[in-house]
Each structure stands twice: as structure tokens, then as C-alpha cells.
């Protein structure tokens, strides 16, 4: 059984932890969860797995897989250490890789330590096809992300527009993924995943909308190249705990864990 450690015990982290603990994520066992405030959690004194605020204690558990579910800051703070301790690293806050120096640091570290950095599809899909198509040549990749107003509280859009009174869709960003990933660290990680699978952060075109007429988080992907074309629309049900994040994100991490211990892998 591979030992799993999770950084961040919020919306994604909790769903993933439960699945691992209940044996729904393949041949892996929940060893430790790194949190910022242990007193918030009912299971903080669990005897079956460790919940700790102490990063040394967390990384001393001989983890085989570390899953980051905590945000860009946690990728910066703990990514290198996870790989240094000999774990494979699953990243959901992949927008942190818009910072080329951080991306290079972690990719070099993974190579030196013979470990893998694994990026689940998370909130989007089609990465298998985009990554294969980018063997190339690939001409164009675009993403349009739309979420309801409630998903944008706590982001910079809250300063641009009155979210409570919006009656028409509002285009909050138009540009390239390098900027969308940086400007919306909790909300448009999908643009980073798409860039890494396809033609990079500076060529992937992105539009971001607040849309009062929708109830799902919608991502529309279009790509063209020698392979042909792809047009894909994804509608994620927002999780009850965090409207920025779809339930599918934790499901995708759980599927990744299953793949890591299975002799049959489909859909990568
Ligand atoms: N790749 C993708 O498609 C997606 C990526 N994400 C990423 O996942 C992140 C987490 O999403 P949610 O679980 O919905 O957020 P959340 O806010 O519900 O949970 C995040 C948890 O991480 C904890 N945390 C933050 N920094 C930490 C640190 N340094 N050490 C330990 N714990 C720390 C917070 O206290 C919180 O409990 C987002 O910020 C976003 O970057 C989210 C949705 C989709
Ligand atoms: O869950 C979603 O629809 C997308 C998301 O938050 C992200 O890309 O960070």
C-alpha cells in the first residue's frame, strides 16, 4: 500500500481524504494531512491517520504520494520538499506553474529525485487529446471560463463589478493563460493545465466571465492543429462548500490515485 499525505483539508482535500480512508481510491492508505489550524477538524485526534500543523512531522512520514489541495502558496512552500522526501507530487493548484522559475525548480527536482509531478485533469477534460495533438503542430488553443457570481467573491472581480447586482454576463478578463492563472489563483487553474498540455502559457488564449444566468462552472475549450479540431464544453457542479470548485476536481484526484496502483489505466 502506498502511503498518501494530503496538504490542505478543505473542499478538495476532505473529499480526497475520505475516499482514500474508505478504500475508494485504490491501493493507497491515508497517512497524514497537513493543515494550518488543527482545532478546526473533528477528526484532529484520529488514531488512524495523522492531522498535523507541523510540516516536519508531516514530511517525516515516509510518504509515497503527496497531494497538494491547498493553493498556489502551498505549491511554492512545499512542492520541493515533497519531492526531496521521495514522494510523487500530485498538484491541483497548477496555476502556480505560470511562474516559470517555480515550474523549472520543481520539474528539475522531480527529475533529480526520480519522482513524478502529476497533474490531474481536475476541473477540465480533453487534456489527453490536447497533449497528444500538441505533438504537433498545434495551431491554436482557447479557453472560455464562465462561473456564476457567487463563485467570484474573494477574487479581484469583486473589486471590478457589483456581483450581487449583475444582470448580464460580464467579461472580467481577456488575455493569455500566463495572466489568468496568476490573477485568479483559486479559480482559473484550468487555464494552466490546458497550457501545459498544449501550446504554453503565452499562446493559450483565455476569456473569463461572470455569468448570472448559469448555475454551473462552465469551461469551453477549442483547439486546432494537424490532429484536427476539438470543441469541448464542460459543466461542473459547484461544490456546496466552495462554489469556485467543482465536485469533479476531487473525483479526478481520486481517479488519479486509482491509476497509480492499478494494472489497468484508461483515459489519460
Ligand atoms: N486544477 C483545477 O482544475 C482546480 C484547482 N483548484 C485549486 O485547488 C485549491 C484548493 O481548492 P479548494 O479545496 O476548493 O479550496 P478550500 O479553500 O476549500 O481549501 C483549501 C484548504 O487548504 C488550506 N491551506 C491553504 N494553505 C495551506 C498551507 N500552506 N498548509 C496547509 N493547508 C493550507 C486552507 O486552510 C483550506 O482548508 C484552490 O486554491 C485552487 O488553487 C481548485 C479547483 C480546480
Ligand atoms: O472548478 C472549476 O471549475 C475550475 C477552477 O476552480 C479552477 O480552474 O481553479
Amino acid at each position: 500500500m502506498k502511503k498518501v499525505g494530503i496538504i490542505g483539508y478543505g473542499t478538495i482535500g476532505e473529499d480526497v481524504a475520505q475516499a482514500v480512508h474508505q478504500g475508494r481510491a485504490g491501493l493507497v492508505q491515508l497517512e497524514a494531512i497537513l493543515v494550518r489550524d488543527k482545532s478546526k477538524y473533528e477528526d484532529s485526534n484520529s488514531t488512524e491517520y495523522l492531522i498535523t500543523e507541523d510540516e516536519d512531522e508531516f514530511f517525516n512520514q515516509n510518504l509515497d504520494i503527496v497531494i497538494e489541495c491547498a493553493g498556489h502558496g502551498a505549491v511554492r512552500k512545499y512542492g520541493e520538499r515533497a519531492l526531496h522526501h521521495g514522494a510523487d507530487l500530485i498538484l491541483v493548484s497548477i496555476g502556480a506553474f505560470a511562474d516559470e522559475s517555480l515550474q523549472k525548480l520543481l520539474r528539475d527536482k522531480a527529475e533529480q529525485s526520480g519522482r513524478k509531478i502529476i497533474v490531474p485533469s481536475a476541473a477540465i477534460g480533453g487534456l489527453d487529446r490536447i497533449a497528444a495533438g500538441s505533438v504537433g503542430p498545434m495551431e491554436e488553443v482557447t479557453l472560455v471560463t464562465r462561473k456564476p457570481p457567487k463563485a467570484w467573491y474573494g477574487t479581484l472581480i469583486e473589486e471590478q463589478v457589483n456581483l450581487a447586482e449583475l444582470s448580464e454576463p460580464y467579461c472580467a478578463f481577456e488575455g493569455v493563460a500566463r495572466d489568468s492563472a496568476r490573477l485568479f489563483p483559486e479559480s482559473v487553474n484550468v487555464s494552466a493545465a490546458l497550457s501545459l498540455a498544449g501550446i504554453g502559457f503565452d499562446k493559450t488564449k483565455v476569456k473569463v466571465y461572470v455569468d448570472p444566468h448559469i448555475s454551473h462552472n462552465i469551461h469551453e475549450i477549442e483547439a486546432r492543429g494537424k490532429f484536427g479540431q476539438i470543441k469541448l464544453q464542460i459543466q461542473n457542479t459547484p461544490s456546496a462548500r466552495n462554489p469556485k470548485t467543482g465536485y469533479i476536481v476531487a473525483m479526478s484526484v481520486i481517479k488519479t490515485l486509482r491509476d497509480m496502483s492499478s494494472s489497468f489505466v484508461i483515459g489519460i
Side-chain angles (χ1 to χ4, degrees), residues 152-163 170:
W152 297 108
Y153 286 99
T155 73
L156 65 84
I157 298 179
E158 207 179 345
E159 290 151 34
Q160 290 174 13
V161 71
N162 185 341
L163 289 168
Y170 171 75

Side-chain angles (χ1 to χ4, degrees), residues 7-12 34-36 41 69-72 74 78 92-93 122-123 185-186 189-190 242 245 249:
I7 302 174
Y9 203 17
T11 308
I12 302 168
L34 181 60
V35 298
R36 289 195 294 199
Y41 301 100
C69 308
H72 290 197
Y78 301 122
V92 295
S93 302
E186 297 161 354
N189 284 279
V190 287
N242 180 0
T245 295
V249 180

Side-chain angles (χ1 to χ4, degrees), residues 13 23 31 37 48 56 63 85 92 105 109 117 121 131 141 146 182 189-190 196 198 214 234 242 247 251 260 263:
E31 199 66 26
D37 179 2
E48 295 174 88
D56 292 331
L63 302 168
H85 278 256
V92 295
L105 177 79
K109 187 75 196 178
I117 296 171
S121 298
V141 182
R146 300 170 193 275
R182 192 175 51 80
N189 284 279
V190 287
L196 289 160
I214 58 175
I234 285 141
N242 180 0
Y247 288 114
M251 294 178 194
M260 289 173 83
S263 55

Side-chain angles (χ1 to χ4, degrees), residues 136-151:
M138 176 83 100
E139 284 153 28
E140 189 172 28
V141 182
T142 63
L143 170 72
V144 179
T145 286
R146 300 170 193 275
K147 297 190 190 185
K150 66 178 179 181

